[in-house]
Amino acid sequence: MEECEALCTRMAIMVNGRFRCLGSVQHLKNKFGDGYTIILRVAGADPQLEPVMEFIEQELPGSTLKEKHRNMLQYQLPSSLTSLSRIFSLLSKNKEQLHIEDYSVSQTTLDQVREFVGKFSATVCNT
């Protein structure tokens, strides 16, 4: 999928021999994607995730905790609930207070779109 995203201007997704969607990569992400993925890594030998989790739940209502590991949290947030600028502003202002070592915010990937649309029987790229 990464190759298609890098090389193609339009994509067609086929499921069971039928076209399910056609458009640019950005169009498919906007139409079938589920917003933003936020990954936070908390610093320290014994990282305290609870304050970060409470902060995200309070400041970004509608976010869903997808993964939780020793020092990492991954959230899914619908793009209709907030803007990228607000997410980055909140995280940068509270990074030190919450001991956030680093964070990333990304848009839905084509692999996530693929999971949403269904199982592929083929992927066709038009350049």
Side-chain angles (χ1 to χ4, degrees):
M1 293 306 287
E2 289 178 27
E3 293 85 1
C4 285
E5 189 169 355
L7 298 172
C8 303
T9 57
R10 291 181 358 155
M11 292 184 64
I13 298 175
M14 293 179 68
V15 179
N16 297 326
R18 298 184 140 191
F19 280 108
R20 294 295 181 205
C21 51
L22 173 69
S24 68
V25 172
Q26 191 61 48
H27 169 74
L28 297 177
K29 285 182 177 183
N30 289 340
K31 185 168 183 176
F32 300 106
D34 54 357
Y36 305 118
T37 299
I38 303 169
I39 299 174
L40 305 142
R41 196 168 57 167
V42 181
D46 186 27
Q48 298 298 313
L49 299 179
E50 289 75 22
V52 179
M53 293 169 64
E54 290 172 9
F55 173 80
I56 295 294
E57 289 171 13
Q58 181 180 7
E59 296 295 330
L60 298 170
S63 60
T64 305
L65 180 63
K66 292 291 188 180
E67 292 184 36
K68 177 182 175 185
H69 300 286
R70 190 183 77 78
N71 70 333
M72 190 271 296
L73 298 168
Q74 180 176 332
Y75 286 90
Q76 193 68 40
L77 179 65
S79 56
S80 60
L81 297 180
T82 192
S83 65
L84 276 175
S85 61
R86 182 168 184 273
I87 296 170
F88 277 108
S89 176
L90 284 170
L91 293 176
S92 65
K93 287 179 183 174
N94 295 282
K95 183 178 177 180
E96 289 181 22
Q97 175 188 350
L98 296 170
H99 305 288
I100 297 173
E101 188 172 351
D102 60 37
Y103 59 90
S104 69
V105 181
S106 59
Q107 192 177 31
T108 301
T109 65
L110 282 177
D111 286 326
Q112 291 167 324
V113 169
R114 180 188 70 198
E115 290 172 9
F116 179 79
V117 171
K119 294 181 180 179
F120 281 118
S121 59
T123 302
V124 180
C125 296
N126 293 328
T127 57

